[in-house]
Amino acid sequence: MTLLDHDRIRAVVWRDGSLELLDQRRLPQCEAFLRFNEAPAVAQAIRNMVVRGAPAIGIAAAYGVVLAARHAFATHGDDWQAAVRGDLQCLAAARPTAVNLFWALARMQRCLDALAPNVDPLLALLAEADAILAEDIAANRRMGELGAGLIDAGSAVLTHCNTGSLATGGFGTALGVIRAGWTAGRIEAVFADETRPWLQGARLTAWELTQDDIPVTLLAEGAAAHLLRQGRVRWVIVGADRITADGSVANKIGTYGLAILARYHGVKFMVVAPSSTVDMALASGDEIPIEQRAADELLSVGGARVAADGAGAWNPSFDVTPAALIDALVTERGVVLQPDRAKMQALMGDGV
């Protein structure tokens, strides 16, 4: 089978003048696209996890700017640029940790600023959003190639959360490496954490891999230590929502624990993310804002309460893995082994 056989899913689509998002809350039981024509509704979709994953959030927000500008131009004439600011602020406030959201909005803002007030902004902004989407897919394919090149033939790998086509424009970051490694015959088995409380591993990663004919074995997070002790897994491969100037990584809660387990058991730990995820303005992981989500997400499953009445919950959506626990950081710009501040500066240059 070819790489195309393992890359058939697209979750963020511009179709017939509207943004369509595959509703990830309903997977795997139901595959349904929701249609959006207003920026505030896109922001709500990001907040409510209709779309998730740092690159996909940024792409959805870029198309949200297209919708905002189209509406503002139709209703405010030459004052449309001022009218669109509120929608951009609404999109920016949707989720605080994933830096790709702010990167994409800043890029769309630069495109907005270059437009004359009396010119319909739709074509220029749509072209920019399309470019962000296409560049993300190209970057993912490059990262897949680079990351797979680090993996010895016959390896088993473990991944956490969902980092595939559902979390990106297509192909995926960590799952892109797994797709490329599986196609090349380097990976012989894929294990996936269930990823509580939203079960992205069980619902999304397992769905993606089975859809693309890649066998996957699911495990509870609590089983990861026992699995790594068996000696079969060679790499833990994860994505990232923000990477700081010292190489520290914010990713789905549970990633830090996996990194500690991997180091103890002599298993390599790989982080895969586009350079748009790197935030050189933050010196270390201590400066990353960590999103705290509603307690009910942890106390309930599928709308049914599973915790004892009266119990509270602490529900951070992300944790921070220090650079010292990372063996390889893969971006489309290249691979950084044992990342640190100097190596991150060399990778990013001026930080843009």
Side-chain angles (χ1 to χ4, degrees), residues 1 20 33 81 85 92 99 173 197 206 221 226 242 276 313 319:
M1 300 184 77
E20 294 187 2
F33 277 86
Q81 287 170 314
R85 288 178 194 145
V99 74
T173 55
E221 272 99 309
H226 186 58
R242 192 177 298 211
S276 57
D319 57 25

Coordinates of all heavy atoms in Angstrom, one line a residue, residues 1 20 33 81 85 92 99 173 197 206 221 226 242 276 313 319:
M1 N 0.8 -1.2 0.0 CA 0.0 0.0 0.0 C 0.9 1.2 0.0 O 2.0 1.2 0.5 CB -0.9 0.0 1.2 CG -1.9 -1.2 1.3 SD -3.0 -1.1 2.7 CE -4.2 0.1 2.0
E20 N -16.7 24.0 6.7 CA -17.3 22.7 7.3 C -16.3 22.0 8.2 O -15.1 21.9 7.8 CB -17.7 21.8 6.1 CG -18.9 22.4 5.3 CD -19.4 21.4 4.2 OE1 -18.9 20.2 4.2 OE2 -20.3 21.8 3.5
F33 N -20.5 16.5 9.4 CA -19.9 17.8 9.2 C -20.9 18.9 9.6 O -22.1 18.8 9.3 CB -19.5 18.0 7.8 CG -18.1 17.4 7.4 CD1 -18.0 16.1 7.0 CD2 -17.0 18.2 7.5 CE1 -16.8 15.5 6.7 CE2 -15.7 17.6 7.2 CZ -15.7 16.3 6.8
Q81 N -13.1 47.0 8.0 CA -11.9 46.5 8.8 C -12.0 46.8 10.3 O -11.6 46.0 11.1 CB -10.6 47.2 8.2 CG -10.2 46.7 6.9 CD -9.1 47.5 6.2 OE1 -9.2 48.7 6.2 NE2 -8.1 46.8 5.7
R85 N -12.8 43.6 13.9 CA -11.9 43.4 15.0 C -12.6 42.6 16.1 O -11.9 41.8 16.8 CB -11.5 44.8 15.6 CG -10.5 45.5 14.7 CD -10.2 46.9 15.2 NE -9.5 47.7 14.2 CZ -9.7 49.0 14.1 NH1 -10.5 49.6 14.9 NH2 -9.0 49.6 13.1
A92 N -9.7 34.7 19.0 CA -8.5 34.6 19.8 C -8.7 34.1 21.2 O -7.9 33.5 21.8 CB -7.8 35.9 19.8
V99 N -0.7 27.8 20.5 CA -0.2 29.0 19.9 C -0.5 29.1 18.4 O -0.5 30.2 17.9 CB 1.4 29.1 20.2 CG1 2.1 28.1 19.3 CG2 1.9 30.5 20.0
T173 N 0.7 15.2 12.6 CA 2.0 15.5 13.2 C 2.6 14.2 13.7 O 3.3 13.5 12.9 CB 2.0 16.6 14.2 OG1 1.1 16.2 15.3 CG2 1.6 17.9 13.6
P197 N -9.8 13.2 29.8 CA -11.3 12.8 29.9 C -12.0 12.8 28.6 O -13.2 12.3 28.5 CB -11.8 13.8 30.8 CG -11.0 15.1 30.5 CD -9.6 14.6 30.2
A206 N -7.9 6.0 17.4 CA -8.2 4.6 17.0 C -9.1 4.6 15.7 O -8.9 3.8 14.8 CB -8.9 3.9 18.1
E221 N -4.4 4.8 30.1 CA -3.1 5.5 30.5 C -2.4 4.8 31.6 O -1.1 4.7 31.6 CB -3.4 7.0 30.9 CG -3.4 8.0 29.8 CD -4.8 8.3 29.3 OE1 -5.6 7.4 29.1 OE2 -5.2 9.5 29.3
H226 N 3.4 -0.4 32.4 CA 3.6 -1.8 32.3 C 3.9 -2.2 30.8 O 4.7 -3.1 30.6 CB 2.3 -2.5 32.7 CG 2.4 -4.0 32.7 ND1 3.3 -4.7 33.5 CD2 1.6 -5.0 32.1 CE1 3.1 -6.0 33.3 NE2 2.2 -6.2 32.5
R242 N 2.2 23.9 22.2 CA 3.1 25.0 22.3 C 4.5 24.6 22.7 O 4.6 23.7 23.5 CB 2.6 26.1 23.3 CG 3.4 27.4 23.1 CD 2.9 28.5 24.0 NE 1.5 28.9 23.8 CZ 1.0 30.1 24.0 NH1 1.8 31.1 24.4 NH2 -0.3 30.4 23.7
S276 N 5.1 26.6 13.4 CA 4.1 27.6 13.9 C 3.7 27.3 15.4 O 3.1 28.2 16.0 CB 2.9 27.5 13.0 OG 2.3 26.3 13.0
A313 N -13.2 18.3 41.0 CA -12.3 17.8 40.0 C -11.3 18.9 39.6 O -11.6 20.1 39.6 CB -13.0 17.4 38.7
D319 N -0.2 19.6 30.0 CA 0.9 19.6 31.0 C 2.1 20.0 30.2 O 2.1 20.1 28.9 CB 1.1 18.4 31.8 CG 1.3 17.1 30.9 OD1 1.7 17.2 29.8 OD2 0.9 16.0 31.4

